[in-house]
Amino acid sequence: MELQAWLTQATHRLEAVGFPSAKMESQLLAGHAMLVDRAWILTHPDHEVNELALESLLQRREQHEPLAYILGYREFFGRRFRVDTNVLIPRHETEILIEEALRTEDRILRVLDIGTGSGCIAVTLKLERPSWDVWATDISSPALQMARENAELLGADIHFRHSNLFEQLSDMQFDLIVSNPPYIGRDEPLPIEVKEFEPNSALFADHQGLAIYEAIASEIGNHLAPGGQLILEIGQTQGQAVQNLFPASQVKKDLDGNDRIVVWTR
Ligand SMILES: C[S@@+](CC[C@H](N)C(=O)[O-])C[C@H]1O[C@@H](n2cnc3c(N)ncnc32)[C@H](O)[C@@H]1O
């Protein structure tokens, strides 16, 4: 079969499952199977393809496996991060947390990212502010392994610790603490792509999704230096509840107008 014919058929099949970017996804899947980029795919419509290899990728996507897990990467803040099913796929909304963190004055800071997952936050901060001393923790060893891999591939020098929140950081203090913790309540409805494929430990928290914020609030005094800043990503309905945990904090919105981060200065 020629590539163009496969692309047309794959686009129809992905549209039938309800994916709005079916055409682009088909091109990316073909490029992934053939180890070429999208530009090559677009310029070689007559190329003969191995239907069998393409079919298995297409079926995975039809079954709602996220495209990022099939391709093995996701772009975040202009860089490519490797991902697999051990880590949350970096979200565009999280870039607002990065922008807020980069507003912090540009001096040498000690920075902590709690629940680093793919490492997208810690690695981005280190690459955008090379003078910062960046630390990152995660409770999941496989996630931490992926974060280390991304740090190495992108050339970011970060101190990683396998830790439940602050446990392995003893009495360390930080000038800036950031986190996109699990914040979804255990009974909240979710799309299949998220619920069936992304790691539960990255998604859910007890107490309507507030448990990790509560745990951070109870320990923050020991780890945030006086005058230091805490920036937390939140679910869009959690602004008031998280603000209550950090008196005089500010809630900021994402580009869609939803509450997205809480900023607190000690
Ligand atoms: C929502 S994901 C965020 C991942 C990444 N920072 C991002 O923004 O894409 C939350 C991460 O927190 C980690 N995590 C969950 N509970 C934790 C805990 N008690 N201590 C440290 N990390 C935790 C999970 O393993 C997961 O990698």
Side-chain angles (χ1 to χ4, degrees), residues 76 86-91 94 97 113-122 137-141 143-144 161 163-166 179-183 199-204 212 215 233:
F76 180 79
N86 291 308
V87 298
L88 189 93
I89 299 166
R91 302 295 204 272
T94 303
L97 181 153
D113 173 26
I114 302 172
T116 197
S118 63
C120 61
I121 296 176
T137 64
D138 206 290
I139 201 166
S140 152
S141 310
L144 216 50
R161 288 290 178 275
S163 176
N164 177 8
L165 302 180
F166 301 100
S179 184
N180 173 19
Y183 57 67
N200 282 350
S201 57
L203 298 173
F204 302 111
I212 302 281
E233 179 165 331

Side-chain angles (χ1 to χ4, degrees), residues 7-261:
L7 288 171
T8 304
Q9 168 206 294
T11 301
H12 288 323
R13 279 170 59 180
L14 293 181
E15 276 169 354
V17 190
F19 297 132
S21 310
K23 189 171 178 182
M24 192 186 69
E25 292 202 8
S26 303
Q27 294 162 355
L28 288 168
L29 289 174
H32 182 63
M34 297 161 69
L35 303 176
V36 294
D37 62 16
R38 226 176 121 222
W40 192 97
I41 292 292
L42 296 173
T43 49
H44 294 76
D46 305 334
H47 186 82
E48 282 295 318
V49 298
N50 172 354
E51 275 175 72
L52 220 59
L54 289 168
E55 178 62 22
S56 74
L57 293 184
L58 184 58
Q59 282 183 13
R60 283 169 67 187
R61 187 63 187 125
E62 280 182 311
Q63 284 156 21
H64 292 265
E65 182 171 344
L67 188 66
Y69 287 149
I70 300 175
L71 300 178
Y73 67 85
R74 170 56 54 92
E75 305 285 334
F76 180 79
F77 215 79
R79 298 183 182 87
R80 184 172 284 196
F81 286 80
R82 291 178 80 164
V83 292
D84 66 15
T85 52
N86 291 308
V87 298
L88 189 93
I89 299 166
R91 302 295 204 272
H92 179 58
E93 301 92 89
T94 303
E95 293 181 344
I96 186 180
L97 181 153
I98 300 287
E99 280 161 14
E100 186 67 29
L102 295 178
R103 269 187 210 117
T104 315
E105 60 181 305
D106 189 6
R107 60 183 171 91
I108 297 176
L109 296 182
R110 185 184 271 177
V111 179
L112 172 64
D113 173 26
I114 302 172
T116 197
S118 63
C120 61
I121 296 176
V123 169
T124 301
L125 293 180
K126 179 66 188 176
L127 294 176
E128 295 293 322
R129 292 283 184 274
S131 66
W132 288 4
D133 180 26
V134 178
W135 293 65
T137 64
D138 206 290
I139 201 166
S140 152
S141 310
L144 216 50
Q145 182 53 37
M146 180 57 78
R148 283 183 204 279
E149 218 174 295
N150 277 318
E152 200 174 316
L153 284 168
L154 291 164
D157 186 11
I158 290 167
H159 311 279
F160 289 105
R161 288 290 178 275
H162 184 213
S163 176
N164 177 8
L165 302 180
F166 301 100
E167 265 174 28
Q168 301 303 317
L169 299 169
S170 52
D171 53 0
M172 283 186 73
Q173 286 217 324
F174 298 87
D175 305 295
L176 172 64
I177 297 180
V178 295
S179 184
N180 173 19
Y183 57 67
I184 299 172
R186 296 199 185 269
D187 49 7
E188 278 181 48
L190 287 174
I192 302 175
E193 265 119 279
V194 178
K195 195 175 169 186
E196 303 279 316
F197 293 94
E198 298 202 82
N200 282 350
S201 57
L203 298 173
F204 302 111
D206 290 333
H207 196 194
Q208 291 90 49
L210 297 170
I212 302 281
Y213 302 119
E214 291 163 349
I216 291 175
S218 74
E219 292 191 57
I220 195 75
N222 298 327
H223 296 283
L224 189 64
Q229 200 169 56
L230 171 71
I231 308 174
L232 297 170
E233 179 165 331
I234 57 165
Q236 57 186 18
T237 60
Q238 292 172 323
Q240 190 60 60
V242 178
Q243 222 173 2
N244 291 343
L245 293 169
F246 300 96
S249 58
Q250 277 181 286
V251 177
K252 299 196 176 184
K253 294 186 187 300
D254 61 23
L255 293 176
D256 295 326
N258 297 317
D259 286 354
R260 187 54 61 199
I261 54 171

